[in-house]
Structures are given as structure tokens and as C-alpha cells.
Amino acid sequence: MAVTSDFLNTPLERLIGKRNARKLERLHLKTARDLLYHFPRRFDKWGQLTPMRNLVEGADVTVMAQVVDTRMNRTRGGKWRLCVTITDGDTYMDVVFWAKNPHMLSGHQQRLVVGDTFYFAGKIGTYRQRLQLTYPDYDGASEDTESPVTKQRLDEPIPIYPSTAKLHSWALAKAIDTVLLPMEQDDKTDPIPADIRQRYDLPGLVEAFHMYHHPQTDGDWQKARKRFQYEEALVLQTYLAQARARARNHPAPICDVTQGQWRKTLLDSLPFHLTTDQSNAVEHLEQAMSCPQPMNVLLQGDVGSGKTIVAVLAMLQAVDAGYQAALLAPTSVLATQHFQSIMALIGKVDAPVHLLAAATPACQRATLLQMAQSGQPLIIVGTHALLSDDVTLPQLALLVVDEQHRFGVTQRGILRDRAKTSPHVMVMTATPIPRTVAMTVFGDMDTIVMKNLPTGRQPVNTYIVPRSRPAWIDRMWQRVREEIDSAGRVFIVCPRVDDADTSLATGEPRKQTANQDSGSNRTSQVTSLASVEAMTKELPTVASIADVGFSVVTGRSKPQEKNAAMTSFINGHTPILLATTVIEVGVDVPDATMIIIMDADHFGLSQLHQLRGRVGRGNKAAVCMAVTNAQPGTAPLQRLEAFASTNNGFELAEKDLELRKEGNILGAQQSGNVSSLQTLSLADKTVVSVICDMRREAIGIIERDPQLNSLDYSGLCQALQRLDTEEEAFLERG
């Protein structure tokens, strides 16, 4: 039976029955395609026993073990009990079956032969301080052989599938066999065209399914996995290539640099020289915005690399040409900082720059909205307030989105969709993105990387401070006093607002857990994590700084409170700012020379790097103290050691990817769904070459056949149509 699109879309209940199909729905498997693409998460071998020493009571487990003894006896209550002792060569455990009479247990006793090896699945329990499995499912018995594990099978890879407590791996394997075994290759359904398969020595779709689900050797499943990596990369890169081609079909405003004087005046009046990276970025944007094709740029700049001046020059280029520009920031603190930084930069230029935030007075807001709606040239800096229904920028030529990962899929496209033009788009991020991730998610965007720090910028010395060492803590507070006495400012960051806050972050929607590796050993419970509330009581009791005033900023602070606290901190009236991660990005205080991050092990590497970037922004040396309860040898402490070892955000980004894998690469955290790449593990450095190859192939395909009308691309076209709508929206809006 040839595999066709109609067959792959067949509901599972028609292939394996309603009862089995209902079980598979728990894993979101509804069609033949879903089931076939449910790949094994690992491969075991019958000759390699699974360690049992770390099993804990109450866990649902699947173990592979050898039968060493069986015995049946009658209990005092009259029931019969079959006890089977199994071992993995190191640990022993009992498997227990109960029945009303011995005949009901004879089948188990006959199949579970001493010396044979089986898979057992069930919930771990204990009896008389000994581990046991009660009435588990097991697999491996074969009716046509004396031993369930023949010599030929000892070296044969056994696929282990992502499963549930009530749907075990071997049950999935049997369901997959029902669908897979009758299938034959059909090139019209294969997402990888035949010429590309031949070029990269890739098996066809059905052959790859067989090699993945029924490998005879390790080489089989490895070759199949490689094929599906190429398939996933090709589909994704083809979509991005189509998106880029579609964007070029809609002319953008031409912003010629010869028009107007604001940009030139600013360049001529700058009190500093642009770094090489800044100059290259400015030149790139200048040329891109002078063309009728919409610019789509990702500007990556490490913390403190000077992205603001680059964005300002680009926005002035748009305004000089008679158009409008908007800068969208995720928080009021960041928006206000951007506005103040821009005003400080333009100085005598006197360009029309305005701030729109939730705290903007009604009369001022009304005037600003009228100016914007009229199409008058201006720069408007704002928060989510810019996304309100009454905000219209009909002559929008440039949209700058700062820290784009903080905006939802729909939000990022609102301003662009409302414009009468097809504006240029620049996405800025101070969180360096590993090359593989950037190529995968932002493949339809040009990428500008800025690594050079402005002249005079000092690296920040980072120290790990164990909470268990009181002398170190005392010295840390003394250092705070020394920094303040030298006219410095000090940030103290806590993971929680108060003891009732269970987010482990800012009191805002929880996002940080995605940055923590699954092996995190939380040595302190949530209730003992540092909070802003607790620290406000503790600071006045610290002898060295008891007389020092401090301000407080959290995600719950009102805009007026935030502004007042920041002003008091900046001018030195309260030289300590106690905050949550609301100050993570954009806060620019040149006099800030020290930051203390409490319970730093509960933050991810990228967030730690962002927080550290709040200091050392002037010409003074700065220091970062990472306070932690993490124990030696644990993953959290390894993360902190990596953080303390370098100030290079790009190195940390790669390390972060290595520690926590790729997580939700396609932005599903922002859209509310769970979605991630299936075979393209972005922590795998070999994937870079796969993406490069398929990006080149995808661009060639779209240049030859933009609509994919050729029958050679019918399978690829079908795969593109199946892209999850949320992934599609994320990729489309970039």
C-alpha cells in the first residue's frame, strides 16, 4: 500500500480501533502521521540492563531486568502470591502478582523463566523496606522461542518511546507496526524532493520510518534521524524563504539618507566615536532603509554594546524622509529609559520624540495621538500602550522592537498591520542568540551582531557568595558601603516580591523556569527564597549600611512609584535600589557600580547576564555578587560558575543552550501552546550544517518555483500547509 497524504491523515481509530486510539490521544496522537512521527526518545539493547539503584517509591518506571528466582505461595488470607525476583546486575527487586487461585498465576510463572530478560513497567512500591513492583506490565516473552531474548536480539536496538503510565513503550511500538508495516514509498508525499535526497544520501520517507522504528543496527536509526533532521530543517527554511519573498512583494517607504538634517546633525554632534560594530550596523541599516524592499533585521548586541544610538540614527533616517518611527519596549521603566536616553543623545537636534506609556496624562496622550494619526513625522517611544486600539501611525516607516521575546506573537504585528505602509522592521535583543537558534527562528531576517563595547567600558568582576559563609556575607555588605561612599549606586535583586509570591521571579507571569536545567537541585525551598519584602526588613539591621536609604521597585509598583524610585536612586538620595528582575533590561545608571543577585541559582544564564549588565555602564570598575545556596557539584552551581567565568554574552548564550537545551524555540511560550522542534536539537553543533544546507536548498527552490507548483514539491507543499498556526504566526511576524 503506497503511502499517501490521505492515508497519513487517517484517524487512528480507523486503523487500530477506538479503544487503542483513545489511549494514544493522551499523547496528542490522532492520525497515522502523528503516530509515525512519534519517534523513540532513546534506544536500549536487551544485553544492557537498566540501572535500578536510583529508583524511588511512587515513581512510574520501565526497567529492564533479568529473572533470578520465582516462587509461589498461599498467604494467610487465602490468596495466592507469585513473587519474582529480578536484577539488573547490581540491584535486586521483587515483582509480585496476586490471584484467587494458582491457575490464574501459572501463565506468568511459565513466561517469566529464570535467566531470561524482560521489560517491566509499573509503579514502584516497597514491602519490608525492599523495592517491589506489584502486578506490572511486562514484555519480552515470545511464544515461538524458548527464550524471549535470542542471541540475535541482544545487539538489536530496542526503541523506547515517550509514553504514559497507562500506555507503555511496547504498546506504542505495536500500534506503530499496525500502521507502518503495510506502507510503501510514494515520492509525492515525501517532504524531501528526490534530487535533494540523492544529493545528501537520505532514505525515502517510508524506508526512514522503518529504520527509525525497526532498526537492525545503531546505524539504521542514526541514518533515519539524520533524514528527519534534514526534513524538518527543509520545511522550516522553505517557510522562512517564502515569508521573505512575500515581504519583498510589498514595497516599503524609501528613506534616503540625503533627505532631512536631523540624522546628520546628530552624527556630527556626537561626543564619542562609534565602535566598529556600531558603524557597520549604521551603514547596514542606512542602505537597507534606502531600498523599496522592506528591511527585516535582527540586531544582536551584547549588554552595553551601544544599540540605542544605532536605533536612534535609524529612526531619525525615517523621520528625515518625512515618515514616522516607533520603538516598542516591554516595560514602562525600559520605555522611559529609552526616551530619556534618546533625548540626551539628540540634544540640540530638537527632533520630534515623544513618550507614550500607561502613565501619560490624558490631555498629553490625546494631543500625541492626534499628531500620530495625522501622519506627522515623529518618533514615538512606548510600551504596550502603543498597541491600544486608538493608536494609529499611518506613515510608519520603521518599527523597532526591543527585547522582542517579551512580546506575544499578535502584539508584535499590531503596529505594522495598522500602517498604510509596509514598514521596515528592526528587532533588537541584548540577549545574544546562539547561531543555530538565530538561523532556525530568524532565518528570514538579516542579522547584525555587535560585540565591541564602547571605549572606556569596564568589565564587571563577578563573584559567587555562598549563603553558608557568614563572613563572606558580612564582607559583601561592607563592600556595598564602600561603593556608596565612593559615590556609587548598588542594585539588590531578589527572585520574589514577598513570601506569598510563588513565581520565583518578579511577581509577574512566571517565565524563569524555562531557563533552569531539569537537573536543578533546589537546595532551598520556595518559602526560603529571598524576597523584596523580607529584604526591606533586613537591610536596616545590617550594621555597615543601616543608615543608608534605599528605594524599592517591583513588577507590582505603580508607574509613578517606579519613576520616583528610579529618580531617587539615580540622583543618590537613596543609593540602593531593591528590586525584582523588573530592572533586568534597559535600566541605564552610569553611577551603578555594584549589583547583588540574591539566590542567583534560581535565574538562568541569560537573565543573570542581563542583570549584571545594569552595572559597569560608566567609566568606573564594577562588581557583581551572586549569592547562592547551591551545593558543590550541582547543576545550579555549574551554571553560576559559567556565569562568573566570562562577561561575553555570546559565550554564555552557547553555554546556556548546552545546559538547558533548546526549550520552546518556536516561541510557543509566548503563544500559550506547547511546541518545539522535534529532531533538530539545537544543542547539537552538527545541526548547524544541516540548517545551512537546507537553507541554501530552500532559497533555490523558492527562486525556481515560488508557489511550489511542481509535482516534485508536492510533499514539501503538504508539509508547509501542516505547520502549526501558532508556529506560523511566530515565524511570520518574527
Side-chain angles (χ1 to χ4, degrees), residues 448-515:
I448 302 174
V449 177
M450 294 169 50
K451 294 185 178 181
N452 300 141
L453 296 181
T455 303
R457 185 64 59 85
Q458 300 293 320
V460 181
N461 293 320
T462 303
Y463 302 97
I464 299 173
V465 182
R467 265 188 168 184
S468 59
R469 298 199 176 186
W472 290 38
I473 298 294
D474 290 343
R475 178 67 189 107
M476 179 182 73
W477 294 126
Q478 291 169 8
R479 182 64 182 268
V480 171
R481 185 64 194 226
E482 292 167 8
E483 296 297 327
I484 293 172
D485 288 345
S486 300
R489 307 284 185 273
V490 179
F491 293 102
I492 301 176
V493 179
C494 299
R496 297 193 301 151
V497 177
D498 54 37
D499 290 342
D501 179 10
T502 59
S503 68
L504 302 185
T506 64
E508 299 168 340
R510 180 175 180 172
K511 57 183 178 295
Q512 183 52 38
T513 51
N515 284 339

Side-chain angles (χ1 to χ4, degrees), residues 477 492 494 496-500 527 529-543 545-552 576 578-579 598:
W477 294 126
I492 301 176
C494 299
R496 297 193 301 151
V497 177
D498 54 37
D499 290 342
T527 54
L529 288 178
S531 69
V532 171
E533 180 185 56
M535 195 60 67
T536 58
K537 299 174 183 177
E538 181 179 345
L539 290 181
T541 69
V542 178
I545 57 171
D547 60 334
V548 178
F550 60 89
S551 299
V552 176
I576 295 176
L578 178 59
M598 304 300 298

Side-chain angles (χ1 to χ4, degrees), residues 43-112:
F43 291 87
D44 282 350
K45 291 185 178 179
W46 285 107
Q48 298 174 350
L49 301 180
T50 303
M52 299 191 304
R53 68 173 67 93
N54 295 326
L55 298 180
V56 294
E57 185 176 3
D60 287 305
V61 301
T62 299
V63 298
M64 186 161 58
Q66 186 179 53
V67 177
V68 296
D69 181 46
T70 64
R71 55 195 180 279
M72 189 183 302
N73 64 292
R74 190 172 187 175
T75 68
R76 292 180 180 179
K79 288 187 177 181
W80 287 83
R81 176 176 178 265
L82 173 65
C83 183
V84 180
T85 302
I86 61 175
T87 183
D88 61 356
D90 176 62
T91 304
Y92 289 83
M93 182 169 62
D94 291 331
V95 173
V96 180
F97 300 89
W98 300 84
K100 293 181 179 180
N101 59 67
H103 301 292
M104 298 175 68
L105 298 174
S106 60
H108 296 302
Q109 191 172 30
Q110 291 171 9
R111 286 190 292 270
L112 295 170

Side-chain angles (χ1 to χ4, degrees), residues 629-705:
N629 264 323
Q631 300 300 307
T634 62
L637 190 61
Q638 291 173 0
R639 188 168 60 246
L640 291 183
E641 289 169 344
F643 169 58
S645 69
T646 180
N647 279 274
N648 188 310
F650 290 87
E651 290 180 10
L652 285 176
E654 294 291 348
K655 186 64 177 178
D656 198 20
L657 181 61
E658 178 185 329
L659 288 173
R660 66 182 175 92
K661 308 306 180 187
E662 61 271 15
N664 270 328
I665 288 301
L666 294 183
Q669 283 183 320
Q670 299 170 38
S671 63
N673 285 344
V674 176
S675 173
S676 61
L677 299 177
Q678 189 173 16
T679 60
L680 290 174
S681 174
L682 301 183
D684 181 355
K685 294 188 180 350
T686 63
V687 167
V688 175
S689 62
V690 174
I691 296 174
C692 285
D693 289 341
M694 292 303 97
R695 186 178 190 184
R696 185 171 56 252
E697 296 286 355
I699 291 173
I701 288 172
I702 297 305
E703 287 177 349
R704 292 190 299 272
D705 188 356

Side-chain angles (χ1 to χ4, degrees), residues 29 36 79 121 158 192 205 234 242 255 259 281 290 380 482 503 526 582 664 671 695:
L29 307 177
L36 292 171
K79 288 187 177 181
I158 304 297
I192 306 181
L205 180 62
L234 178 63
Q242 282 186 324
C255 303
Q259 299 172 301
S290 299
I380 185 167
E482 292 167 8
S503 68
V526 172
V582 71
N664 270 328
S671 63
R695 186 178 190 184

Side-chain angles (χ1 to χ4, degrees), residues 112-170:
L112 295 170
V113 178
V114 173
D116 289 346
T117 303
F118 298 85
Y119 275 107
F120 297 89
K123 186 182 291 290
I124 293 291
T126 58
Y127 179 70
R128 294 181 177 177
Q129 298 182 334
R130 183 182 174 95
L131 295 179
Q132 72 173 24
L133 285 170
T134 302
Y135 234 111
D137 291 322
Y138 61 92
D139 187 49
S142 176
E143 295 178 0
D144 56 357
T145 61
E146 293 183 1
S147 171
V149 187
T150 63
K151 185 175 180 181
Q152 180 181 356
R153 294 180 65 191
L154 284 175
D155 293 326
E156 185 178 303
I158 304 297
I160 304 300
Y161 295 90
S163 55
T164 67
K166 295 184 179 180
L167 183 67
H168 303 301
S169 179
W170 56 81

Side-chain angles (χ1 to χ4, degrees), residues 371-673:
M371 293 168 56
Q373 191 171 6
S374 69
Q376 177 179 328
L378 54 77
I379 295 173
I380 185 167
V381 180
T383 59
H384 293 76
L386 268 177
L387 307 176
S388 301
D389 293 339
D390 57 348
V391 178
T392 305
L393 294 164
Q395 294 300 311
L396 183 65
L398 175 63
L399 172 61
V400 179
V401 183
D402 194 19
E403 298 302 328
Q404 58 81 30
H405 60 280
R406 293 196 167 202
F407 289 94
V409 170
T410 305
Q411 293 171 317
R412 290 199 299 272
I414 288 177
L415 284 175
R416 186 174 64 181
D417 295 342
R418 288 179 187 165
K420 293 180 180 179
T421 60
S422 182
H424 302 285
V425 176
M426 179 170 71
V427 170
M428 297 197 303
T429 177
T431 303
I433 303 172
R435 181 177 178 227
T436 323
V437 180
M439 290 177 60
T440 304
V441 180
F442 300 101
D444 61 333
M445 304 183 81
D446 293 326
T447 302
I448 302 174
V449 177
M450 294 169 50
K451 294 185 178 181
N452 300 141
L453 296 181
T455 303
R457 185 64 59 85
Q458 300 293 320
V460 181
N461 293 320
T462 303
Y463 302 97
I464 299 173
V465 182
R467 265 188 168 184
S468 59
R469 298 199 176 186
W472 290 38
I473 298 294
D474 290 343
R475 178 67 189 107
M476 179 182 73
W477 294 126
Q478 291 169 8
R479 182 64 182 268
V480 171
R481 185 64 194 226
E482 292 167 8
E483 296 297 327
I484 293 172
D485 288 345
S486 300
R489 307 284 185 273
V490 179
F491 293 102
I492 301 176
V493 179
C494 299
R496 297 193 301 151
V497 177
D498 54 37
D499 290 342
D501 179 10
T502 59
S503 68
L504 302 185
T506 64
E508 299 168 340
R510 180 175 180 172
K511 57 183 178 295
Q512 183 52 38
T513 51
N515 284 339
Q516 295 187 359
D517 17 340
S518 59
S520 293
N521 177 21
R522 295 191 175 186
T523 56
S524 58
Q525 299 299 314
V526 172
T527 54
S528 66
L529 288 178
S531 69
V532 171
E533 180 185 56
M535 195 60 67
T536 58
K537 299 174 183 177
E538 181 179 345
L539 290 181
T541 69
V542 178
S544 55
I545 57 171
D547 60 334
V548 178
F550 60 89
S551 299
V552 176
V553 173
T554 74
R556 299 177 189 172
S557 303
K558 296 178 180 179
Q560 298 90 334
E561 295 171 342
K562 290 180 182 178
N563 292 335
M566 290 301 303
T567 300
S568 180
F569 177 63
I570 292 170
N571 63 30
H573 288 163
T574 53
I576 295 176
L577 183 65
L578 178 59
T580 57
T581 55
V582 71
I583 55 96
E584 176 186 346
V585 291
V587 174
D588 189 1
V589 182
D591 289 330
T593 56
M594 182 175 183
I595 183 169
I596 297 172
I597 307 173
M598 304 300 298
D599 290 305
D601 51 293
H602 285 266
F603 297 101
L605 273 176
S606 61
Q607 195 167 28
L608 287 169
H609 185 56
Q610 286 284 350
L611 290 169
R612 179 171 56 188
R614 298 314 98 210
V615 298
R617 304 180 75 86
N619 55 11
K620 298 179 181 179
V623 63
C624 171
M625 302 287 189
V627 182
T628 179
N629 264 323
Q631 300 300 307
T634 62
L637 190 61
Q638 291 173 0
R639 188 168 60 246
L640 291 183
E641 289 169 344
F643 169 58
S645 69
T646 180
N647 279 274
N648 188 310
F650 290 87
E651 290 180 10
L652 285 176
E654 294 291 348
K655 186 64 177 178
D656 198 20
L657 181 61
E658 178 185 329
L659 288 173
R660 66 182 175 92
K661 308 306 180 187
E662 61 271 15
N664 270 328
I665 288 301
L666 294 183
Q669 283 183 320
Q670 299 170 38
S671 63
N673 285 344

Side-chain angles (χ1 to χ4, degrees), residues 1-8 33 37 182-194 197 203-209 227 711-716 718:
M1 178 180 63
V3 56
T4 64
S5 180
D6 287 342
F7 173 76
L8 291 175
R33 177 182 289 104
Y37 278 89
M183 291 172 56
E184 298 175 1
Q185 177 69 19
D186 180 359
D187 282 351
K188 294 180 182 179
T189 308
D190 197 323
I192 306 181
R197 294 201 308 271
L205 180 62
V206 176
E207 182 185 0
F209 280 143
R227 178 246 141 77
L711 287 178
D712 293 339
Y713 305 135
S714 59
L716 178 58
Q718 293 166 21

